[in-house]
Amino acid sequence: MISVAIDGPAGAGKSTLSRRVAEKLGYIYVDTGALYRTVGLKFINLGYDTELNCDIEEILSKTDIEIKYINGEQRVFLDKVDVSEDIRTPNASMMASAVSAKPPVRAFLLEMQRKLARGNNVVMDGRDIGTVVLPNATVKIFLTASVKARADRRYKELCEKGIETDYKSVYDDIEKRDYNDSHRDIAPLKPADDSVLADTTKLNVEQSLELLLKIVKEGIK
Ligand code: DC
């Protein structure tokens, strides 16, 4: 089986590009952030906040998460309910970030991610795919862009969606998330030693896609 691991900070275009790379290659796309978001939603539904003052392991033992591919698209199910849209709210993002720093949560999701890569050719994106989840991935890419480039893209996206915001808070938020993701004790965001760096600061989506496909084709030769 071939696995392409794509890690990188928030806002680098990982999901858009990973999905397109998977489509081109005919592999399945695994969005691992969706799994952390789904665990986050479970704790939201139970009434907890980001302090997570609860017995996390006990709750996880009563949590059922499944990934299904419907018409080639990844859908996530929490306790048999399709929550693929519900996990996209700002609240779910906050909780995903909080639960992702908890070792039992990472352990809970690890085998699910590895199993998908054992049974399928995958493009898997996240923060720790090349370093922890698939240390033997066929190709590892660390996808990044400057904070300014990522903030510009995110700001434009929010404006287009009609979501009111100011540029400074978008910029500060990206900086803060970078710091949190790369400074947590467990599975911090960092390039795997054998990853190829793809910097999209000066590239548009099509150029970035071209770059990634070139890296992947080199890697699976
Ligand atoms: O990529 P995303 O925004 O959907 O990820 C949601 C959260 O999950 C984010 O705060 C980082 C965390 N995450 C992680 O710790 N490890 C992964 N492999 C994927 C996501």
Side-chain angles (χ1 to χ4, degrees), residues 180-208:
N180 288 346
D181 282 351
S182 44
H183 286 80
R184 65 175 178 226
D185 290 339
I186 177 165
L189 172 68
K190 62 164 193 238
D193 292 338
D194 50 353
S195 63
V196 179
L197 185 76
D199 186 332
T200 67
T201 303
K202 298 201 172 99
L203 307 180
N204 64 27
V205 175
E206 295 308 320
Q207 292 165 329
S208 304

Side-chain angles (χ1 to χ4, degrees), residues 7 14 31-34 36-37 88 93 96-97 100 106 113 125-129 177 181 184:
D7 291 304
K14 278 194 311 288
D31 166 9
T32 64
Y36 289 91
R37 289 168 178 271
R88 299 291 157 195
S93 302
S97 181
S100 74
R106 301 205 76 87
Q113 296 169 79
D125 83 2
R127 306 292 191 286
D128 62 336
I129 309 306
R177 281 209 278 164
D181 282 351
R184 65 175 178 226

Side-chain angles (χ1 to χ4, degrees), residues 160-178:
E160 281 168 5
K161 281 189 189 153
I163 299 169
E164 218 169 288
T165 181
D166 66 288
Y167 182 78
K168 189 174 179 323
S169 64
V170 173
Y171 187 100
D172 291 349
D173 182 62
I174 285 185
E175 259 194 334
K176 185 163 164 249
R177 281 209 278 164
D178 280 1

Side-chain angles (χ1 to χ4, degrees), residues 18-207:
S18 302
R19 181 176 291 113
R20 300 262 316 260
V21 169
E23 256 169 37
K24 280 264 179 204
L25 300 172
Y27 298 179
I28 62 167
Y29 165 52
V30 184
D31 166 9
T32 64
L35 297 174
Y36 289 91
R37 289 168 178 271
T38 303
V39 173
L41 187 63
K42 172 85 180 200
F43 287 82
I44 292 174
N45 290 347
L46 290 172
Y48 296 108
D49 62 20
T50 53
E51 297 286 314
L52 294 166
N53 286 322
C54 53
D55 185 339
I56 293 177
E57 284 184 334
E58 159 75 11
I59 292 169
L60 291 175
S61 74
K62 295 182 190 135
T63 302
D64 174 45
I65 294 180
E66 271 180 293
I67 285 192
K68 290 184 189 166
Y69 286 85
I70 300 175
N71 299 327
E73 194 199 338
Q74 172 181 308
R75 309 289 300 178
V76 276
F77 291 75
L78 173 60
D79 300 325
K80 308 289 178 210
V81 179
D82 185 342
V83 294
S84 309
E85 272 80 41
D86 303 344
I87 58 172
R88 299 291 157 195
T89 64
N91 195 16
S93 302
M94 291 287 281
M95 276 301 254
S97 181
V99 298
S100 74
K102 301 290 180 192
V105 172
R106 301 205 76 87
F108 177 72
L109 295 178
L110 186 62
E111 184 48 29
M112 195 183 302
Q113 296 169 79
R114 288 187 173 159
K115 196 168 163 209
L116 281 163
R118 273 200 299 274
N120 307 274
N121 292 328
V122 294
V123 176
M124 191 176 281
D125 83 2
R127 306 292 191 286
D128 62 336
I129 309 306
T131 49
V132 176
V133 180
L134 305 176
N136 298 318
T138 322
V139 183
K140 298 181 186 178
I141 298 174
F142 195 79
L143 185 72
T144 189
S146 69
V147 176
K148 182 174 179 306
R150 290 184 282 133
D152 289 354
R153 290 173 195 161
R154 183 56 55 93
Y155 181 67
K156 190 166 161 251
E157 208 177 277
L158 292 170
C159 289
E160 281 168 5
K161 281 189 189 153
I163 299 169
E164 218 169 288
T165 181
D166 66 288
Y167 182 78
K168 189 174 179 323
S169 64
V170 173
Y171 187 100
D172 291 349
D173 182 62
I174 285 185
E175 259 194 334
K176 185 163 164 249
R177 281 209 278 164
D178 280 1
Y179 185 86
N180 288 346
D181 282 351
S182 44
H183 286 80
R184 65 175 178 226
D185 290 339
I186 177 165
L189 172 68
K190 62 164 193 238
D193 292 338
D194 50 353
S195 63
V196 179
L197 185 76
D199 186 332
T200 67
T201 303
K202 298 201 172 99
L203 307 180
N204 64 27
V205 175
E206 295 308 320
Q207 292 165 329

